Amino acid sequence: MPSSSPPHAGRQTLGAVAYLLSLARWLGDEVRFALRLLRWWVVWAGLLLVAVLSIAAYQQPGTYVVDVGSPQDQAYTRNFHTRLEEVGRTYRWSDVYGYVSFPGVGGSRPSTLRVTLDAQRPAPIEVHVNGVRFFAEDVIPGWQELTFRIDESQPAALASRDTVVEFRAAEYRAPGEEAQAKGLKVDRVVLEQSHGGGFIWPSLATLGFLVLSTVLAYLLAGRALLGFSTARTVRVRALAVSMVAGTGLCLLLASSHTSASVVAPHVVTALGSMLVIFLVTERAVGGRRWALGRQGARLLSVAIVLAFGLRYGGMALPQSVIIDMPYHMKWLRTLLAGDWQALYFPGGLSEVPPEWGMALLIPKSPLFYLAAAPLSLLQFDLELLVKWSTCFLDSTLVLFTYWFTWRISASTRVALTAAFLYALMPLAFRAFSYGILPTIFAQWLAAGLLALLLAASLKGWRPATLLAAVLLATLTLLSFPTVAVFVTLVVIVAPVGWRLVRPSQKSPQPFSWQPYVVLVAGWFLALVAYYGLYVTPVIASAAALLGAAPGGAATVRWPGGVAELLLWTGDYLASILPLLLAVVGVLLLLTRQRITDGQARATTLVIAWLAILPIFVAANYKIDMIGKHLFFTMLPVAVVGGVGLFALGVHGTWGKRLMGLLLSTVAWQALVFWVERLVRAST
């Protein structure tokens, strides 16, 4: 007789159709909720107020300076060569055509333009403003300042709401740099708007971005508050958040039209990304598997978008200078140009930083650049895509933090506390300010590998799981040399701990040999794929270094001994508060009673992971830069720190207040450090 159930392929088709229908219903529900939020006249009155304040801010004339050659000029210059410096000034060479832009300054207000330039040789040059030629003459070598008046005599230049200064010069090839076609040297461009002179017409693009940012802030806040208050209260609180955001942007616009015009589109991108990430995350973690419930899923989603917003919100601003970003983009573009050998074989990528003062070779795998290369297929700015992707990867570590903590504590509230602690971890912002993107990527792979090993040890190993673990271990070991050593140590120690730490002597646990198989297989594949090429060159460079100066350049001299090293470490962490909370958490975990086998295994793995921290600090006493890899311990610090932080909050009202105060302090320290680093780097 024929079977009454549909064939396997038919069941798959029905399942896919059912999923698509549920996805369509979910999208429809989200759109309807957003429309309900917007169907309130007060919201539109608030948006109108933001628009009016923006137009009013434009009426304040300003003086805008682009110091070409300074770190913050990257937001305003195009077709310029690398930054250069000579006594008393910084500058850049332009291409034959070079552009300095003042976006969103507003139109119809007379201005004075001053440019400081040097052609290096007698040459004809031209200066155009908004497509109108203001200067076309031969100039003599030497720095000189040219001044132009933009007024009613040039109506096309005056009416433009963005001011673009274009430099044209005959092609020049400097001695020794014949491969680079250059135009002229530019040091400083100043645009000074006149007082009086009538109405300044605002930039419509800037105005639109400011209003759209306010709308997105309102929708994001309203969606995040859903379920925690009544519908009316949600609207009022979301509106308050959006008005604070809109007013802040208007104040920025009043202080600098150009800065606000550059910032506004990136604020839209950040808020739009946060809204999408929030919705997708809440749907993904709202199922039974995460055991969170609606409010728990919403809070975890808030932690993730908070982590992403803080990281990407600072990193993506064109005025921000991320220290290693040009270095990584150089190698990524080298790979995209087809010169993969330059990254794969021993060469410039594997040389240690110049500040080390040594000729040592370290095999820095090109895995990060290979992973980032497909981003070039998207029609967006490649550097922004790399920043966005890295920030997104790091923000997803909030999920790993939650999962590890939940495995340890079996408490949703404890796990959520740890998730927020990771989102606000001050050390993370030091990593992003340095721009150590490959190591952030390596940390994400390491977290995934250790989570997979723990999950497999709890649920049982299958052939597919073992194969996936070997592949992930290979990628993790290839991602970065330091993380390869760190993962090796943790994987060696954790199974021993699983054998020794047992909840009950009556139920001894079998020894877990699978992690060692994964580690050995991963190292074998990593050696065959990449590291094998570097064994001989690394040994040779190390031998030459030791022969030239035994222990010389690698030794760090700490005049104050261990005390000075610890002070440096505390300063490097940006805040030692999470570490102190982690110490409290470790003590609580080690003194627990009545824990399950799963909790014991998770605790052992996380503590083995955390033990890397003192090893890194001790190694840094002799080998420079090793201590700077402390960010590999951020996740276990957040896990056990969340346990310690929540333990303080269970002791009545004062405990909850102390918990809130400590978490707020961590957030404030992180924000102050992040802003200070970005401002200092971009000025």
Side-chain angles (χ1 to χ4, degrees):
M1 295 179 62
S3 173
S4 59
S5 61
H8 180 66
R11 288 197 300 269
Q12 285 185 328
T13 302
L14 290 175
V17 171
Y19 174 76
L20 291 175
L21 290 175
S22 67
L23 185 62
R25 286 195 298 269
W26 169 68
L27 289 173
D29 291 340
E30 294 297 342
V31 171
R32 283 189 290 273
F33 179 75
L35 292 176
R36 283 200 301 272
L37 285 177
L38 293 173
R39 280 200 297 265
W40 187 32
W41 69 270
V42 180
V43 174
W44 296 99
L47 295 177
L48 180 61
L49 176 62
V50 170
V52 170
L53 290 176
S54 300
I55 295 172
Y58 261 108
Q59 305 316 306
Q60 176 64 34
T63 299
Y64 308 102
V65 180
V66 176
D67 185 5
V68 181
S70 66
Q72 69 270 27
D73 74 346
Q74 60 188 6
Y76 309 101
T77 55
R78 287 187 294 122
N79 290 3
F80 276 82
H81 293 267
T82 188
R83 298 184 181 96
L84 297 172
E85 185 174 358
E86 61 184 40
V87 178
R89 73 175 74 242
T90 58
Y91 65 94
R92 289 182 190 251
W93 275 96
S94 73
D95 283 344
V96 176
Y97 294 88
Y99 304 89
V100 174
S101 62
F102 296 89
V105 292
S108 300
R109 179 66 66 93
S111 311
T112 299
L113 177 69
R114 296 191 299 273
V115 297
T116 304
L117 51 81
D118 176 14
Q120 188 76 24
R121 78 285 184 196
I125 69 169
E126 295 183 16
V127 179
H128 296 244
V129 180
N130 297 331
V132 178
R133 188 171 66 183
F134 275 70
F135 183 85
E137 296 180 14
D138 291 348
V139 296
I140 60 175
W143 288 103
Q144 51 195 292
E145 183 178 89
L146 305 179
T147 302
F148 311 104
R149 182 66 178 171
I150 306 172
D151 53 23
E152 292 81 0
S153 63
Q154 299 288 351
L158 180 65
S160 178
R161 298 169 192 183
D162 300 308
T163 298
V164 178
V165 183
E166 177 185 356
F167 299 94
R168 300 180 185 179
E171 182 179 298
Y172 173 68
R173 297 183 183 269
E177 298 179 344
E178 286 79 6
Q180 297 185 17
K182 298 179 178 180
L184 68 158
K185 297 190 290 187
V186 181
D187 170 35
R188 191 177 176 87
V189 183
V190 180
L191 181 69
E192 183 179 0
Q193 292 180 316
S194 301
H195 288 270
F199 184 78
I200 297 181
W201 288 98
S203 167
L204 297 181
T206 301
L207 192 62
F209 281 127
L210 294 181
V211 173
L212 183 55
S213 298
T214 308
V215 172
L216 289 173
Y218 173 70
L219 293 176
L220 179 60
R223 188 59 181 80
L225 292 170
L226 177 64
F228 292 100
S229 302
T230 64
R232 181 174 180 80
T233 304
V234 166
R235 284 179 172 178
V236 171
R237 292 177 177 176
L239 181 63
V241 171
S242 65
M243 287 299 99
V244 169
T247 304
L249 290 172
C250 290
L251 291 175
L252 177 62
L253 181 64
S255 64
S256 174
H257 301 169
T258 56
S259 296
S261 297
V262 169
V263 165
H266 295 283
V267 173
V268 170
T269 303
L271 288 173
S273 300
M274 291 168 68
L275 182 58
V276 172
I277 292 171
F278 176 87
L279 296 176
V280 173
T281 304
E282 187 188 51
R283 178 175 172 82
V285 302
R288 296 179 181 177
R289 181 174 299 180
W290 288 83
L292 273 164
R294 289 186 177 181
Q295 289 191 350
R298 200 156 293 144
L299 286 172
L300 184 57
S301 302
V302 168
I304 292 174
V305 298
L306 180 64
F308 175 84
L310 289 175
R311 288 155 174 75
Y312 182 74
M315 248 190 126
L317 297 179
Q319 297 95 331
S320 301
V321 177
I322 307 302
I323 296 173
D324 285 350
M325 201 69 207
Y327 174 82
H328 296 310
M329 294 307 299
K330 179 193 77 171
W331 287 112
L332 178 56
R333 292 192 171 99
T334 300
L335 177 63
L336 293 173
D339 189 12
W340 60 271
Q341 298 94 332
L343 287 81
Y344 185 77
F345 294 105
L349 179 62
S350 296
E351 294 175 354
V352 299
E355 58 266 26
W356 284 29
M358 65 177 79
L360 181 65
L361 200 66
I362 296 179
K364 300 175 186 174
S365 168
L367 183 63
F368 170 78
Y369 307 105
L370 291 171
L375 295 174
S376 63
L377 300 175
L378 302 177
Q379 299 301 312
F380 296 99
D381 181 77
L382 181 59
E383 182 172 327
L384 277 179
L385 286 173
V386 171
K387 291 178 179 179
W388 192 100
S389 303
T390 308
C391 292
F392 176 72
L393 285 182
D394 189 73
S395 64
T396 59
L397 288 179
V398 170
L399 291 173
F400 287 95
T401 304
Y402 173 88
W403 186 81
F404 278 110
T405 312
W406 185 79
R407 283 293 180 186
I408 288 174
S409 64
S411 169
T412 298
R413 292 188 295 172
V414 177
L416 286 171
T417 303
F420 275 96
L421 186 59
Y422 183 85
L424 301 168
M425 187 71 66
L427 183 55
F429 299 104
R430 184 179 289 279
F432 276 97
S433 67
Y434 284 168
I436 44 179
L437 307 187
T439 44
I440 295 170
F441 174 68
Q443 179 182 226
W444 183 79
L445 287 174
L449 174 63
L450 296 177
L452 179 59
L453 294 179
L454 177 60
S457 73
L458 296 174
K459 297 182 179 180
W461 287 88
R462 298 178 180 178
T465 305
L466 189 63
L467 182 61
V470 170
L471 177 60
L472 186 54
T474 304
L475 294 175
T476 304
L477 296 172
L478 285 173
S479 60
F480 203 76
T482 310
V483 84
V485 175
F486 140 65
V487 165
T488 300
L489 293 175
V490 175
V491 174
I492 289 174
V493 171
V496 177
W498 293 345
R499 174 64 178 169
L500 298 177
V501 180
R502 302 192 297 268
S504 171
Q505 296 295 332
K506 297 180 181 179
S507 58
Q509 301 296 320
F511 185 74
S512 298
W513 53 268
Q514 292 89 345
Y516 294 106
V517 173
V518 169
L519 183 64
V520 171
W523 266 114
F524 174 78
L525 293 175
L527 285 169
V528 171
Y530 181 72
Y531 286 125
L533 297 170
Y534 284 80
V535 174
T536 301
V538 167
I539 293 175
S541 66
L545 180 67
L546 293 174
T555 301
V556 176
R557 308 289 184 182
W558 299 96
V562 175
E564 183 177 347
L565 172 63
L566 294 177
L567 288 174
W568 175 89
T569 303
D571 180 67
Y572 179 77
L573 294 174
S575 170
I576 63 170
L577 187 53
L579 187 58
L580 295 177
L581 292 171
V583 172
V584 174
V586 169
L587 294 176
L588 290 173
L589 293 175
L590 293 178
T591 57
R592 281 192 306 176
Q593 303 293 327
R594 298 179 181 179
I595 61 173
T596 65
D597 175 56
Q599 289 176 308
R601 286 178 177 245
T603 302
T604 304
L605 176 64
V606 170
I607 291 180
W609 190 345
L610 190 62
I612 299 299
L613 192 150
I615 294 176
F616 278 163
V617 174
N620 198 49
Y621 190 72
K622 289 294 183 182
I623 305 174
D624 191 13
M625 307 291 280
I626 292 296
K628 292 188 176 183
H629 294 96
L630 290 172
F631 51 82
F632 282 133
T633 62
M634 286 190 299
L635 197 150
V637 166
V639 170
V640 293
V643 172
L645 182 60
F646 186 82
L648 299 175
V650 299
H651 299 290
T653 303
W654 285 105
K656 290 183 175 60
R657 291 177 179 174
L658 179 60
M659 174 182 168
L661 178 63
L662 290 174
L663 190 59
S664 299
T665 302
V666 170
W668 177 252
Q669 290 174 324
L671 188 60
V672 168
F673 171 82
W674 189 218
V675 171
E676 188 271 337
R677 287 291 305 199
L678 293 177
V679 170
R680 186 173 68 184
S682 62
T683 56

